[in-house]
Amino acid sequence: MTKHEIADVFNDIATLMELKGENPFKIRAYSNGARRLETLEEDLDELIREGALSDVPGFGKALVQKIETLHSEGRLDFYDELKASIEPGIVSMLEIPGLGGKKIKILHEKLGVTSIEELKTACDENRVAELKGFGEKSQDKIVEGIKNREAYGKRHLWWRARAVAEPILDGLLALPEVEKASHAGSFRRLREHVGDLDFIVASSDPGPVMDWFVAQEDVKEITAKGETKASVRFETGLQADLRVVPAEQFSFALHHFTGSKDHNVLMRQRALARGLSLSEWGLKPVESESFDDSLEASSEEELFGLLDLKFVPPELREGLGEIEVAEERDFPELLELEDLRGVFHNHTTASDGRSTLEEMTQAVQNIGWEYWGVADHSKASFQANGLDEDRLLKQIDCIEILNASKAYSVHVFSGNECDILPDGSLDLDEDVLMKLDYVVVSVHSSFTQSEAETTDRLIRAIENPAATMLGHLTGRLLLSREGYKVDVPKVIDAAIANGVIVELNANPYRLDMDWRFWRKAAEKGLLTSINPDAHSTKHFPFVEAGVNVARKGWLTSENVLNALPLKDVAAILARKRPNLKSLVL
Ligand code: DGT
Ligand code: CA
Ligand code: CA
Ligand code: ZN
């Protein structure tokens, strides 16, 4: 752990000890220790290596031991046990502004509250206001804090965060004082959701940059403002951090605050193995006093180069094997939005979509794609006005007529999103399904089956000769609904064995299958399709969120069906439809 992380732990320990009503002198030793660590001028690694930690004023024997353990092992029994000894509901009350260990202890002892919900009830019943040392005002503040926590405590979808992040970056870049500016953090790493936004700016005149940042129109609250660091909160609860650094530190700060933490740990270890110390300020010989003699890197490429590494794309910096690759070779060219030539899995007004077949075709043509595939719901999804066999056959005719009319430069594939019934069979007659160019098979019901049942159910559907691709593998909705339990690697193996494509559902709330599975799956030979699951012409842009996930999953255009030209797509679909004339173009 870094000294800042250790300081965080010490502050936590102090608060937890307050909650338990422990000796105030001991408590103060930890909070003072945290402050000493934060302001420590010497290098912590060096102090530890030289055994000089106990020479630092304020670091007693107990503290020194704990710092060393946290530094080397990243965890501490004492801390874990302390945390475990207090009910989680009580600990969670610390998230409410204005409530520290002491006050929570009183609330717990006098009112018996053990969770935020119980605290809310106590406030509603005016019991907190009547407590000595609280009063009406602090009760109101607690109620406000609980309300805000619900709005602010959550993470934010990348897709929504982007709408906030892009204008900020544009605004920063337009300031005359700004030499360089970039996103950092999880947003830059293209995570599916972000805790907050991070921005790094290079400037020799930070004042006006800081002033602009906190004065943005949508800022609801300035949560911090110093000379080179600021944090603001927007109406949606999303928070943004800004850091301004001198130009020569920019690459180091950008790399550091892009993270991830795990990636940074590996990078620092690699630097140490070369006798170098890497930080947000630079890269210097371990023995030199300050980062004033840092090596120079005018870009992240150069920074990686200083450690004999190829440039690691930000979205791959998760500490999941990227450094090993960067030691040896350039990274593959990850999928780009421009690589896509069409899309499958789209709904029309025939089921629950809001745009007609013609409107969707026109929109695809306007984007400049070569083809798209219809995939309306099947009859078991009656709430989505799913199609039965008769309606589906009529739709196939409509698509044939549309293609034959040559009214559009776009080819339309006929398909269906066919429900996988609870036993793994498909919702529509196989004869009819085989008349389609392709079939997406998806689960829309019986989410509560066991993992084994769901896995078998999906595999049975995959083995169905009519199945072309598997839709939204887990059915999750990010930040609101867990997916159904399923053995993902087993499903991947079954898909590969049966020549079935696994979709990458690009709806920003789904992004299913998750990025963590793609690298390995693609290495084993799995093909994907970036599917917007569009229910309107407005949803085609979702594919960008899907491309993000594909990149995070190390995918290249070779792994993606809808990056292929029309003829090659038809050839792949024809593997499952050898008798279908319409596929031969
Ligand atoms: P988020 O915001 O939770 O989605 O995730 P990140 O990765 O954006 O994390 P954030 O905003 O806390 O910090 C940005 C980066 O700064 C993080 O990826 C790694 C780096 N970093 C360096 N030192 C520390 C540290 O002591 N604590 C944390 N949390 N991050 C650090
Ligand atoms: Ca962040
Ligand atoms: Ca942050
Ligand atoms: Zn679906």
Side-chain angles (χ1 to χ4, degrees):
M1 278 188 174
T2 65
K3 63 182 181 184
H4 298 293
E5 289 165 336
I6 298 173
D8 287 347
V9 172
F10 280 3
N11 278 323
D12 268 6
I13 290 178
T15 313
L16 293 171
M17 287 172 75
E18 259 181 355
L19 271 178
K20 298 194 77 163
E22 302 218 6
N23 180 335
F25 291 104
K26 276 197 192 165
I27 297 174
R28 210 162 313 136
Y30 284 102
S31 42
N32 287 343
R35 205 162 333 117
R36 280 297 288 127
L37 273 170
E38 291 280 13
T39 54
L40 196 65
E41 300 211 328
E42 299 89 338
D43 187 63
L44 184 63
D45 297 327
E46 208 171 300
L47 283 175
I48 289 177
R49 209 168 332 109
E50 291 166 4
L53 210 49
S54 47
D55 301 342
V56 178
F59 286 171
K61 211 170 138 202
L63 235 45
V64 167
Q65 245 176 24
K66 293 188 170 83
I67 294 172
E68 286 176 351
T69 309
L70 284 165
H71 179 262
S72 63
E73 290 170 31
R75 52 173 298 280
L76 182 69
D77 286 343
F78 171 75
Y79 177 46
D80 294 342
E81 282 160 22
L82 185 63
K83 267 194 293 193
S85 70
I86 306 172
E87 277 184 64
I90 294 183
V91 176
S92 70
M93 284 192 254
L94 287 167
E95 292 163 23
I96 297 163
L99 282 189
K102 275 191 213 141
K103 285 197 166 172
I104 294 172
K105 184 159 181 285
I106 297 174
L107 289 165
H108 177 52
E109 283 176 357
K110 304 278 178 194
L111 302 177
V113 296
T114 60
S115 68
I116 293 178
E117 289 70 46
E118 288 174 15
L119 178 60
K120 174 113 197 316
T121 312
C123 290
D124 292 347
E125 293 168 354
N126 208 35
R127 288 189 285 139
V128 175
E130 287 162 6
L131 267 185
K132 202 169 135 225
F134 281 83
E136 195 87 34
K137 252 197 180 155
S138 42
Q139 178 170 285
D140 289 348
K141 213 177 145 223
I142 291 173
V143 172
E144 171 80 8
I146 293 175
K147 243 187 22 222
N148 285 346
R149 182 182 164 276
E150 283 161 10
Y152 301 158
K154 58 174 202 245
R155 296 179 65 80
H156 304 262
L157 276 195
W158 184 92
W159 191 257
R160 293 185 169 263
R162 185 198 22 202
V164 180
E166 284 189 339
I168 298 179
L169 186 63
D170 291 346
L172 287 169
L173 285 166
L175 297 176
E177 295 82 7
V178 170
E179 292 165 44
K180 293 181 189 174
S182 174
H183 309 292
S186 52
F187 182 83
R188 185 169 182 236
R189 300 200 315 279
L190 305 180
R191 291 294 288 241
E192 59 275 41
H193 40 64
V194 303
D196 68 1
L197 297 174
D198 304 275
F199 296 91
I200 308 295
V201 160
S203 174
S204 53
D205 185 9
V209 184
M210 307 294 287
D211 292 342
W212 178 86
F213 187 72
V214 300
Q216 293 175 83
E217 207 178 318
D218 305 335
V219 167
K220 190 184 172 202
E221 188 190 344
I222 301 167
T223 44
K225 188 179 179 225
E227 276 168 34
T228 58
K229 284 191 221 178
S231 299
V232 295
R233 173 117 59 197
F234 298 99
E235 204 59 52
T236 55
L238 182 60
Q239 204 170 315
D241 293 343
L242 169 68
R243 237 165 236 260
V244 184
V245 300
E248 64 274 15
Q249 278 177 25
F250 182 78
S251 308
F252 296 101
L254 177 61
H255 175 266
H256 178 87
F257 290 105
T258 295
S260 66
K261 266 190 187 179
D262 292 345
H263 170 86
N264 287 356
V265 167
L266 295 169
M267 289 289 282
R268 282 200 297 271
Q269 283 172 355
R270 187 173 177 88
L272 279 178
R274 287 167 165 66
L276 297 168
S277 159
L278 174 67
S279 78
E280 63 194 271
W281 302 292
L283 179 66
K284 66 165 181 65
V286 166
E287 62 280 1
S288 70
E289 295 275 314
S290 87
F291 281 91
D292 292 344
D293 0 316
S294 171
L295 303 179
E296 283 175 30
S298 64
S299 64
E300 280 187 325
E301 278 85 351
E302 288 185 23
L303 186 160
F304 282 108
L306 291 173
L307 294 173
D308 306 313
L309 294 171
K310 303 282 190 189
F311 175 75
V312 182
E315 51 273 65
L316 303 189
R317 298 181 198 165
E318 297 289 350
L320 295 171
E322 70 275 12
I323 310 246
E324 286 88 329
V325 171
E327 274 178 344
E328 289 180 358
R329 55 181 192 273
D330 285 321
F331 285 85
E333 276 187 42
L334 302 175
L335 182 74
E336 290 180 26
L337 187 57
E338 293 68 36
D339 293 333
L340 300 188
R341 293 163 177 262
V343 281
F344 295 91
H345 192 167
N346 305 289
H347 301 263
T348 73
T349 45
S351 64
D352 61 347
R354 267 157 284 156
S355 309
T356 63
L357 180 65
E358 289 75 16
E359 286 164 347
M360 295 288 271
T361 310
Q362 183 63 53
V364 166
Q365 180 169 310
N366 294 348
I367 293 169
W369 284 333
E370 296 170 32
Y371 51 85
W372 75 285
V374 178
D376 274 308
H377 286 287
S378 65
K379 64 186 184 223
S381 282
F382 53 89
Q383 73 292 345
N385 189 25
L387 280 65
D388 60 18
E389 285 80 356
D390 282 347
R391 288 174 63 210
L392 185 55
L393 286 168
K394 289 200 184 93
Q395 190 183 47
I396 295 175
D397 287 344
C398 289
I399 293 170
E400 248 170 50
I401 291 166
L402 187 138
N403 279 329
S405 77
K406 307 268 179 211
Y408 304 92
S409 60
V410 169
H411 180 78
V412 187
F413 287 107
S414 63
N416 184 261
E417 184 184 16
C418 188
D419 270 39
I420 301 174
L421 302 179
D423 65 357
S425 63
L426 298 185
D427 184 28
L428 296 174
D429 269 356
E430 203 180 302
D431 287 352
V432 176
L433 290 177
M434 291 308 284
K435 290 196 165 66
L436 295 162
D437 297 331
Y438 76 104
V439 174
V440 185
V441 295
S442 302
V443 165
H444 292 119
S445 63
S446 303
F447 290 174
T448 54
Q449 288 176 333
S450 71
E451 178 174 329
E453 279 174 312
T454 305
T455 305
D456 288 348
R457 178 184 181 187
L458 290 183
I459 291 176
R460 187 167 166 216
I462 284 168
E463 287 170 347
N464 190 305
T468 314
M469 51 179 102
L470 176 64
H472 42 72
L473 195 147
T474 72
R476 73 175 179 186
L477 293 180
L478 289 169
L479 306 176
S480 67
R481 181 177 84 194
E482 293 278 318
Y484 27 84
K485 304 235 175 334
V486 55
D487 184 338
V488 176
K490 218 168 152 182
V491 172
I492 291 171
D493 288 343
I496 294 169
N498 290 281
V500 166
I501 293 159
V502 172
E503 87 169 1
L504 200 173
N505 191 301
N507 181 310
Y509 282 93
R510 292 189 182 271
L511 302 179
D512 190 8
M513 171 168 92
D514 190 273
W515 61 267
R516 293 159 185 83
F517 292 105
W518 283 110
R519 183 182 176 196
K520 197 156 170 224
E523 276 170 9
K524 285 179 158 183
L526 186 69
L527 190 63
T528 190
S529 174
I530 313 285
N531 289 350
D533 200 349
H535 284 69
S536 139
T537 56
K538 294 201 185 83
H539 295 165
F540 288 128
F542 287 170
V543 290
E544 189 180 353
V547 170
N548 287 350
V549 171
R551 294 176 66 88
K552 270 201 97 54
W554 297 59
L555 300 187
T556 70
S557 61
E558 283 168 22
N559 310 120
V560 179
L561 174 73
N562 55 325
L564 292 172
L566 180 58
K567 270 209 157 22
D568 297 348
V569 167
I572 287 184
L573 297 182
R575 289 179 195 160
K576 295 259 169 184
R577 299 288 186 285
N579 302 321
L580 201 64
K581 295 280 178 300
S582 72
L583 275 176
V584 186
L585 301 160

